[in-house]
């Protein structure tokens, strides 16, 4: 019996964690699975043979989420004197859990992208040794620091998406005012309460941006469409991708 704990990214609610847990539990070879939303980690008990890491990754992605990754820099003394690093890169790439590897002979180092919990420092050292090289001291990654780094990266991504979406929303709200009022020479007139509440804003915008009200409605609509595309297809992409995967597997979050 082998226990594996690895990070899962993209979860935001208990239903998300439940969807991942069900997919992992249904994977062949998994006898038990548990997903912790608070730590964004999944733990599986693998029975018999070597764990199928590709199957576990596929299960997480099938639920609409992804496994977390980390980057490790490994010092390789004497790497600059190696005629070709191709063999070394292939050996490291073959280590279970490694997703990308880049050798830098000038700096005598390797940059390895891997899934924490799938790959160990010992397995990387062994792969380097099999190529006739030695590694410098490899400090095992601090799990707490790694989790904080993953959280910061996700927060930066969401912050950028929020900022762009907020700006696009402001543009579309202001740009919609002439269309609501019927264009130049018209003002917002309606029995709709919201439209009446917007009359002062419509008048102020008409005075501040008369050129906006002079635009042809068809042109203005195209501008609003262009401003909305980043929100729908970039900022909200993760929502649609997760929903589509959930529909394919008859699950919802």
């Amino acid at each position: 019996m082998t226990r594996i704990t690895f990070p899962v990214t993209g979860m935001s609610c208990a239903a998300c964690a439940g969807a991942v847990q069900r997919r992992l539990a249904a994977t062949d070879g998994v006898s038990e699975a548990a997903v912790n939303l608070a730590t964004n980690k999944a733990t599986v008990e693998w029975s018999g043979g070597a764990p199928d890491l590709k199957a576990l990754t596929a299960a997480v992605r099938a639920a609409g989420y992804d496994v977390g990754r980390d980057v490790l820099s490994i010092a390789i003394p004497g790497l600059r004197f190696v005629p070709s690093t191709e063999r070394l890169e292939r050996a490291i790439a073959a280590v279970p859990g490694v997703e990308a590897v880049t050798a830098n002979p000038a700096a005598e180092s390797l940059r390895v992208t891997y899934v924490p919990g799938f790959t160990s420092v010992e397995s990387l050292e062994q792969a380097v040794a099999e190529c006739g090289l030695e590694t410098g001291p490899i400090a095992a990654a601090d799990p707490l620091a790694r989790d904080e780094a993953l959280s910061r990266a996700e927060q930066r991504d969401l912050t950028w998406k929020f900022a762009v979406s907020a700006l696009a929303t402001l543009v579309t709200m202001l740009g919609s005012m002439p269309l609501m009022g019927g264009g130049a020479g018209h003002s917002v007139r309606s029995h709709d309460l919201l439209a009446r509440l917007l009359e002062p804003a419509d008048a102020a915008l008409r005075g501040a941006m008369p050129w906006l009200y002079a635009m042809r409605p068809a042109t203005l609509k195209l501008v609003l469409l262009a401003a909305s595309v980043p929100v729908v297809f970039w900022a909200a992409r993760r929502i649609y991708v997760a929903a589509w995967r959930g529909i394919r597997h008859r699950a919802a979050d």
Side-chain angles (χ1 to χ4, degrees):
M1 186 77 69
T2 304
R3 172 174 290 186
I4 304 174
T5 299
F6 56 92
V8 177
T9 61
M11 297 188 299
S12 59
C13 63
C16 303
V20 176
Q21 183 169 310
R22 287 192 297 272
R23 295 296 304 181
L24 288 172
T27 303
D28 292 338
V30 174
S31 59
E32 186 178 350
V35 178
N36 189 320
L37 177 63
T39 61
N40 287 318
K41 289 184 178 179
T43 300
V44 299
E45 296 283 353
W46 189 274
S47 56
D52 189 343
L53 304 182
K54 290 184 178 179
L56 296 177
T57 301
V60 174
R61 290 174 177 168
Y65 308 93
D66 205 352
V67 296
R69 297 166 182 79
D70 202 357
V71 177
L72 185 65
S73 182
I74 305 175
I76 311 289
L79 184 61
R80 70 177 64 188
F81 303 111
V82 175
S84 174
T85 60
E86 184 177 351
R87 180 189 173 197
L88 176 61
E89 291 178 334
R90 285 201 308 266
I92 297 296
V95 175
V98 172
E99 296 203 342
V101 56
T102 303
N104 188 338
E108 296 190 327
S109 66
L110 283 174
R111 180 182 174 86
V112 181
T113 302
Y114 67 101
V115 178
F118 285 5
T119 305
S120 65
V121 171
E122 292 76 13
S123 60
L124 295 174
E125 290 177 333
Q126 182 179 354
V128 173
E130 290 175 352
C131 294
L133 298 169
E134 294 183 356
T135 65
I138 302 178
D142 181 358
L144 181 59
R146 181 178 60 230
D147 293 343
E148 290 178 348
L150 290 173
S151 178
R152 286 195 299 270
E154 185 173 15
Q155 288 177 7
R156 285 195 300 270
D157 179 63
L158 292 176
T159 299
W160 271 106
K161 290 180 176 178
F162 169 77
V164 173
S165 299
L167 178 60
T169 299
L170 178 62
V171 170
T172 54
M173 288 179 64
L174 295 177
S176 297
M177 296 296 290
L179 297 177
M180 294 175 62
H186 298 78
S187 60
V188 176
R189 299 295 181 190
S190 173
H191 296 293
D192 185 284
L193 177 61
L194 177 60
R196 287 187 174 277
L197 291 175
L198 289 176
E199 286 185 14
D202 177 64
L205 186 63
R206 186 185 298 273
M209 299 181 179
W211 53 268
L212 184 63
Y213 285 77
M215 290 180 65
R216 295 174 60 249
T219 302
L220 184 55
K221 289 177 182 179
L222 289 176
V223 173
L224 296 180
L225 174 62
S228 302
V229 165
V231 179
V232 176
F233 294 104
W234 176 62
R237 180 180 182 276
R238 60 187 291 174
I239 299 174
Y240 300 134
V241 170
W244 172 244
R245 288 174 176 169
I247 290 172
R248 288 174 55 196
H249 297 92
R250 297 181 295 279
D253 59 24

